[in-house]
Amino acid sequence: MDIEFNKNEDFNKQSVYELKTRLKKIYKGGGEQSAAKQKEKGKLLARERIAYLIDKETEFLEVGAFAADGMYAEQGGCPAAGVVCGIGYVSGRQCMIIANDATVKAGAWFPMTAKKNLRAQEIAMENRLPVIYLVDSAGVYLPMQDEIFPDKEHFGRMFRNNALMSADGIVQISAIMGSCVAGGAYLPIMSDEAMIVEGTGSVFLAGSYLVKSAIGEDIDNETLGGAATHCEISGVTDYKHPNDQACLDSIRNIMGMLGAPQVAGFDRIKPAMPAKDPLELYGLLPENREKPYDMLDVIHRLVDHSEFEEYKQLYGQSIICGLGRIDGWAVGIVANQRKVVKSKKGEMQFGGVIYSDSADKSARFIMNCNQKKIPLVFLQDVTGFMVGSRSEQGGIIKDGAKMVNAVSNSVVPKFTIVMGNSYGAGNYAMCGKAYDPRLIYAWPSAKIAVMGGAQAAKVLLQIQQASLKSKGETITPEKEAELLKEVTEKYNSQTTPYYAAARLWVDGIIDPLETRKVISMGIEAANQSPIKKPFNVGIIQT
């Protein structure tokens, strides 16, 4: 066991090291040359602005750091989708911060930039978090405008969200700290308050070049839309500041005067660390994703005092349900058990598989947590629902539907951590991205796909073989082996957490030791949004 533990520990620590190395590269944005150009203008970089703005020695929970990772290679890449987003504390108040990174293509908007901005706004709207926009963007990346501009979930949706948040009383403050062009000009001006930095900040619907070509007027950008114009003539902006620091100080000052939010009333007591060492998580999680392990060992290293009140402990054992506390907050945990279990009827059940009894138990537990107003935490390491005649005759679809219904209609906030496998309908039942978790983060060990790599590769190979045969090509055993290798490698590359995070299927990838922080900050945010919708599951399969 010790050798196995040590092997796991080495592998998982190496995975976390790779994660941190990749993040360091992303944090450099568009690179040193681009950063130097911003500095020459007297500007702080996007991450420096956030570090200056947030309260000292508080956490910043970044959302979408890996957005667009490995994408847009032909355009030279777009680290973090050219915008830094996350939950931070400003003057003691938790808020969503959205900061354009002008080192990445002058802060221009790519398709993933729009998706990331909309995700940040969604988090703010669900949790009623004040939003601070640090604007420094050249607007839509024109060569890709057809993928950014016209559709429902594109660029324009942001301004619609600005209006909805304003109507709903969610505070929005904007700082124009660089370019702010065309449609993008509406974002700060649709905020409750807009401030502008002299010399570097400018806001206009059309820049000087476009004005010249459209109406023949010769004018420079500063006169057209600089700080003096908008603070003294047009009245478009509300505050003028000499530099980035003064502008950020002003935001801190305003944030310090906000009235207290209403609270949802989730229960919290004094936080405590787990009694069992969280560092042991590295050794407990198997290097091989197929190997069994006891999920209770993981839970005991996540919950305060390692105390966990298990629900229906001896029934439906392939999913563990129960109550505990994370950083003082009361939570209901739904987690896939990864060891082989034996039911009282003598049936052996595979770890990570959802059976009828475990789906039935989970649905009931989720409904219970809604009744008690306890936030839900889903720990995913799921290979799917049980298949075969015995399961089908036992009503697995009916019981699975019951669980999916309970998850879908749940009104308490849900948080999902993808620790291992997240396959097929198991992803759905365990509150995958489509089921509106307030936050969804993955460990480096996560794998997200419609099915496991080995099974999928064989199916894909059969499809490819049929296609080649229809073209009259003969497939030798060597060719078949080569095709299988090719298909497997491609499929596996698409199941990594990095592939998922690049496309914002998850909000980020974290060191397992950050799990408690993510859940705690998430519940703290959710606690600022009282539950108004009654819990109702509609027609439930019985």
Side-chain angles (χ1 to χ4, degrees):
M1 173 61 196
D2 283 346
I3 293 171
E4 194 67 28
F5 185 94
N6 292 341
K7 272 175 69 181
N8 293 340
E9 189 174 45
D10 288 346
F11 178 80
N12 288 313
K13 281 185 174 177
Q14 184 59 39
S15 298
V16 169
Y17 176 78
E18 184 199 346
L19 164 66
K20 290 179 177 172
T21 304
R22 290 177 76 149
L23 279 171
K24 274 181 195 167
K25 191 178 174 191
I26 285 167
Y27 293 161
K28 287 178 180 170
E32 286 172 19
Q33 276 185 308
S34 295
K37 282 180 189 171
Q38 296 300 312
K39 294 285 197 183
E40 278 167 28
K41 296 174 186 172
K43 291 159 72 173
L44 295 174
L45 306 179
R47 291 178 187 279
E48 291 174 342
R49 286 168 176 166
I50 292 171
Y52 185 93
L53 179 65
I54 61 174
D55 299 344
K56 298 297 165 263
E57 291 175 26
T58 60
E59 298 282 1
F60 177 67
L61 178 57
E62 188 161 352
V63 172
F66 282 100
D69 185 50
M71 297 168 73
Y72 311 125
E74 285 176 22
Q75 288 78 24
C78 188
V83 63
V84 185
C85 304
I87 299 170
Y89 300 86
V90 178
S91 298
R93 187 68 179 267
Q94 210 181 28
C95 55
M96 172 58 72
I97 303 168
I98 301 173
N100 299 115
D101 185 350
T103 69
V104 179
K105 300 284 190 296
W109 287 59
F110 281 69
M112 282 305 302
T113 317
K115 187 172 183 177
K116 183 169 170 177
N117 273 272
L118 292 174
R119 174 61 181 147
Q121 285 187 321
E122 180 184 35
I123 292 168
M125 291 162 87
E126 284 179 332
N127 299 296
R128 299 189 60 81
L129 292 178
V131 187
I132 297 167
Y133 303 99
L134 306 180
V135 185
D136 194 346
S137 170
V140 165
Y141 183 68
L142 273 177
M144 301 183 83
Q145 64 86 25
D146 61 320
E147 297 175 55
I148 306 162
F149 170 69
D151 209 347
K152 183 180 175 180
E153 295 294 329
H154 282 179
F155 194 33
R157 189 82 170 179
M158 270 198 78
F159 316 132
R160 172 260 193 195
N161 288 351
N162 289 143
L164 290 189
M165 281 191 272
S166 187
D168 202 25
I170 297 169
V171 172
Q172 298 172 87
I173 300 170
S174 281
I176 300 158
M177 309 180 85
S179 298
C180 183
V181 187
Y186 284 108
L187 185 144
I189 311 312
M190 291 190 77
S191 300
D192 304 334
E193 290 172 296
M195 46 191 71
I196 188 164
V197 178
E198 285 182 272
T200 51
S202 58
V203 55
F204 34 64
L205 292 181
S208 54
Y209 292 129
L210 191 52
V211 167
K212 174 76 174 165
S213 63
I215 62 170
E217 183 184 358
D218 260 322
I219 191 166
D220 64 275
N221 281 342
E222 185 61 29
T223 312
L224 186 65
T229 298
H230 287 311
C231 284
E232 298 168 34
I233 301 170
S234 72
V236 165
T237 50
D238 309 310
Y239 306 89
K240 181 169 71 167
H241 296 292
N243 54 41
D244 282 9
Q245 289 86 342
C247 184
L248 297 167
D249 287 338
S250 178
I251 295 174
R252 290 182 55 78
N253 191 36
I254 293 167
M255 286 295 295
M257 296 187 192
L258 261 54
Q262 289 183 300
V263 292
F266 303 125
D267 188 65
R268 190 182 202 186
I269 60 170
K270 188 182 175 186
M273 287 299 291
K276 294 185 177 177
D277 188 357
L279 280 167
E280 291 172 358
L281 286 170
Y282 297 132
L284 292 167
L285 194 72
E287 172 186 349
N288 181 341
R289 297 296 339 113
E290 312 304 317
K291 278 198 171 174
Y293 64 94
D294 192 342
M295 181 61 87
L296 274 171
D297 289 338
V298 171
I299 293 170
H300 287 145
R301 284 155 182 85
L302 293 176
V303 294
D304 294 13
H305 299 297
S306 299
E307 289 172 1
F308 181 62
E309 186 79 33
E310 198 172 345
Y311 174 79
K312 289 186 187 279
Q313 186 179 359
L314 302 174
Y315 175 75
Q317 295 172 77
S318 78
I319 293 185
I320 297 166
C321 298
L323 301 173
R325 288 188 183 273
I326 290 179
D327 202 34
W329 294 103
V331 294
I333 294 174
V334 180
N336 303 106
Q337 175 57 286
R338 278 301 311 269
K339 69 177 188 181
V340 177
V341 292
K342 190 176 181 181
S343 74
K344 196 71 177 169
K345 291 179 183 175
E347 181 191 13
M348 300 302 285
Q349 296 185 339
F350 299 109
V353 177
I354 302 174
Y355 291 79
S356 274
D357 53 0
S358 50
D360 181 65
K361 170 173 97 170
S362 303
R364 176 77 179 271
F365 178 72
I366 290 161
M367 290 190 272
N368 255 324
C369 286
N370 275 272
Q371 178 89 322
K372 297 183 178 78
K373 207 158 83 168
I374 298 172
L376 286 158
V377 172
F378 292 83
L379 302 177
Q380 282 198 13
D381 194 346
V382 58
T383 46
F385 284 83
M386 192 55 194
V387 295
S389 60
R390 187 172 173 181
S391 287
E392 299 293 1
Q393 288 164 15
I396 185 71
I397 297 174
K398 180 179 70 175
D399 291 315
K402 197 186 304 182
M403 184 177 175
V404 169
N405 189 327
V407 171
S408 303
N409 285 302
S410 197
V411 294
V412 293
K414 301 168 291 201
F415 301 89
T416 303
I417 305 293
V418 186
M419 295 169 34
N421 302 329
S422 179
Y423 292 156
N427 168 288
Y428 302 161
M430 291 295 293
C431 197
K433 184 66 191 277
Y435 291 79
D436 298 319
R438 296 289 176 99
L439 294 172
I440 175 168
Y441 279 82
W443 288 4
S445 45
K447 283 196 177 297
I448 301 169
V450 72
M451 63 176 79
Q455 303 94 306
K458 282 170 191 167
V459 175
L460 288 165
L461 180 67
Q462 286 168 0
I463 294 166
Q464 223 168 334
Q465 283 174 326
S467 170
L468 290 169
K469 278 177 186 167
S470 71
K471 292 172 188 167
E473 288 187 40
T474 51
I475 298 148
T476 62
E478 293 78 20
K479 175 77 172 167
E480 186 177 314
E482 189 188 316
L483 277 174
L484 182 63
K485 183 172 181 282
E486 203 177 287
V487 165
T488 306
E489 281 174 4
K490 187 183 176 192
Y491 189 86
N492 285 342
S493 74
Q494 293 175 351
T495 67
T496 70
Y498 295 101
Y499 191 89
R503 287 150 187 82
L504 284 175
W505 304 342
V506 293
D507 292 318
I509 307 169
I510 54 167
D511 181 338
L513 298 181
E514 293 178 287
T515 307
R516 281 169 52 86
K517 174 189 95 175
V518 167
I519 294 166
S520 177
M521 284 182 73
I523 299 174
E524 187 184 344
N527 199 39
Q528 296 175 54
S529 182
I531 298 168
K532 291 179 180 166
K533 190 180 172 189
F535 177 58
N536 177 13
V537 289
I539 305 298
I540 200 152
Q541 296 291 331
T542 54

